[in-house]
Amino acid sequence: MMTTDAIPIPEDARRGRGATVNPTGRFEPNERSLVSDGWDPAEGPPPPCRTTVSIEHPKTVISKNSSPDLPFDQSVNAYRGCEHGCIYCYARPTHAYLNLSPGLDFESRLTVKPDAADLLKKEISKPGYICKPIALGTNTDPYQPLEKEYRVTRSIIEVLGKARHPFTITTKSDLVLRDLDLLAPLGRKRLVSVSLSVTSLDNRLSRIMEPRASAPHRRLRAISELSRAGINTIVQVAPIVPAINDHEIEAILRTAKERGAHGALYLLLRLPGEVADLFHAWLEENFPDRAPKVINLVRSMRGGKDYESTFGTRMRGTGPYAEMIERRFTLALRKTGLVKSKYDLPTQHFRPPARDENQLSLF
């Protein structure tokens, strides 16, 4: 059920945003409720929600992963929150750790780590560091609009490239093409793999599902240019939302193959934590005619709940509908010639950065 303070935000104030509500973060001591006492006369439309940015200086930047169903052991995230505004983003609940809302705050009150590249360099140069592929974009998009100004992702790629450290990128933005000068040489050495998430080929549906991400045709162009440059390029059909975009699985794979994609994968809609209530409110506003059907189908794949976090099935779901999606995806792979994505990147070329650039290395 929706939390008591999750009151709909006027549309004029959230134009171009994904969330329709801004519930209090679960760790805050008090809940907020908007109540009109009749004393404040209406003074025109509410001001628009503008993006604000905070600076974070963490002590480390590499996050370790021990989940057995994720294809990476470590990751780096340059930003907290994501302006793309995808309502289904599984990272939304993490904003509560900042005492912010997983709703509108997640896509408008953002945090940047400008020191990320320097921290990364220090960490991968430590004695005993074991080189394993680093994933960029596992929590929030490394090429969200903030990257145009702050260029943190580019600085991270520069560090990884110089060290010949393998890494993967997952994004919904064609801004990745800005860094083609760095990525192309690494791609030819199989040190980088780039995944473009294509949720829909329909511009209108894409704008509703991910309001500030690149349009589908721009992502397809990115697939073409990346693959033409010799970079292993993967299309992600993610997330698959029943009765919303699941009818596009075959078309997305076919189109991506035509644009040069090598591999593909899919992820089923996940609704952990506060995401379930946010998604329900979004559904009621944008798809009121089919909201009950969508929710029922989601629950049929999650053991009757909005979400089931069991390793091994949380990405794929269970039950007849989930099995049908798996069969459709597998058949589409066979017809298109795409391979089921596997991140197989070499680590033997890694050379740790010099710990002190003013001191000559002995080797």
Side-chain angles (χ1 to χ4, degrees):
M1 296 296 292
M2 190 68 62
T3 52
T4 57
D5 62 326
I7 298 173
I9 303 164
E11 187 173 356
D12 287 343
R14 54 180 170 82
R15 191 175 303 280
R17 303 291 183 176
T20 61
V21 292
N22 202 43
T24 303
R26 63 187 179 279
F27 299 121
E28 294 186 53
N30 301 305
E31 291 187 351
R32 303 183 303 271
S33 294
L34 301 178
V35 178
S36 174
D37 58 9
W39 285 95
D40 297 323
E43 297 180 355
C49 174
R50 302 193 183 280
T51 300
T52 61
V53 180
S54 300
I55 302 299
E56 180 182 357
H57 297 287
K59 294 182 179 179
T60 60
V61 74
I62 297 179
S63 299
K64 302 295 184 180
N65 164 61
S66 58
S67 301
D69 56 356
L70 292 178
F72 58 88
D73 295 305
Q74 49 187 10
S75 62
V76 172
N77 288 284
Y79 304 101
R80 292 181 189 263
C82 185
E83 202 172 6
H84 283 164
C86 309
I87 192 61
Y88 47 75
C89 181
Y90 57 81
R92 283 183 178 271
T94 63
H95 236 45
Y97 294 108
L98 304 177
N99 289 328
L100 295 172
S101 173
L104 196 60
D105 285 351
F106 177 79
E107 52 196 277
S108 62
R109 299 179 66 178
L110 311 178
T111 299
V112 60
K113 305 173 186 177
D115 306 327
D118 291 336
L119 290 170
L120 175 63
K121 185 175 181 179
K122 290 178 182 178
E123 291 181 59
I124 66 174
S125 65
K126 289 180 178 179
Y129 172 77
I130 299 175
C131 177
K132 296 181 180 180
I134 287 178
L136 308 182
T138 60
N139 202 41
T140 57
D141 201 309
Y143 284 104
Q144 61 177 289
L146 276 187
E147 173 63 17
K148 293 179 182 179
E149 175 182 355
Y150 289 95
R151 301 169 70 88
V152 180
T153 297
R154 183 176 175 87
S155 65
I156 290 171
I157 292 173
E158 289 173 339
V159 169
L160 294 172
K162 289 178 181 178
R164 287 174 279 181
H165 194 302
F167 63 101
T168 65
I169 296 173
T170 301
T171 183
K172 290 186 175 184
S173 175
D174 66 335
L175 181 59
V176 65
L177 294 177
R178 180 204 63 187
D179 296 337
L180 201 55
D181 61 316
L182 300 177
L183 297 173
L186 299 175
R188 290 191 289 269
K189 296 176 182 176
R190 292 181 50 243
L191 290 175
V192 62
S193 180
V194 179
S195 297
L196 269 295
S197 178
V198 180
T199 311
S200 173
L201 299 175
D202 183 329
N203 282 343
R204 179 180 174 277
L205 179 57
S206 178
R207 192 162 52 247
I208 295 172
M209 297 184 73
E210 40 205 16
R212 298 197 178 193
S214 295
H217 69 276
R218 297 177 71 92
R219 289 180 235 179
L220 292 170
R221 180 174 67 87
I223 289 175
S224 295
E225 296 195 25
L226 289 166
S227 60
R228 193 179 302 123
I231 298 168
N232 181 45
T233 308
I234 296 165
V235 60
Q236 291 192 11
V237 188
I240 293 178
V241 185
I244 299 292
N245 71 336
D246 56 345
H247 63 285
E248 296 193 65
I249 295 173
E250 292 81 2
I252 291 173
L253 293 184
R254 183 174 60 252
T255 305
K257 175 63 176 180
E258 292 169 354
R259 299 302 179 95
H262 175 259
L265 58 84
Y266 81 90
L267 297 174
L268 202 61
L269 175 71
R270 296 166 56 193
L271 299 175
E274 295 91 336
V275 181
D277 284 346
L278 293 167
F279 180 76
H280 290 176
W282 175 86
L283 264 183
E284 290 293 344
E285 176 170 301
N286 292 285
F287 300 98
D289 59 323
R290 68 186 96 165
K293 178 181 180 179
V294 174
I295 293 171
N296 287 336
L297 286 172
V298 168
R299 290 174 177 170
S300 76
M301 296 184 285
R302 300 296 185 186
K305 300 178 290 185
D306 284 326
Y307 184 56
E308 172 57 55
S309 60
T310 302
F311 290 138
T313 60
R314 58 178 181 158
M315 307 293 187
R316 295 288 186 267
T318 58
Y321 206 86
E323 292 170 2
M324 180 188 68
I325 289 175
E326 174 73 31
R327 287 196 297 270
R328 285 177 55 195
F329 183 81
T330 301
L331 181 60
L333 285 182
R334 190 178 307 136
K335 288 183 175 180
T336 59
L338 290 165
V339 299
K340 184 171 287 189
S341 171
K342 289 185 179 180
Y343 298 108
D344 183 18
L345 303 177
T347 59
Q348 67 268 24
H349 306 299
F350 171 65
R351 297 294 181 270
R355 300 190 69 186
D356 183 352
E357 293 186 346
N358 295 320
Q359 180 177 347
L360 296 176
S361 172
L362 294 177
F363 303 98

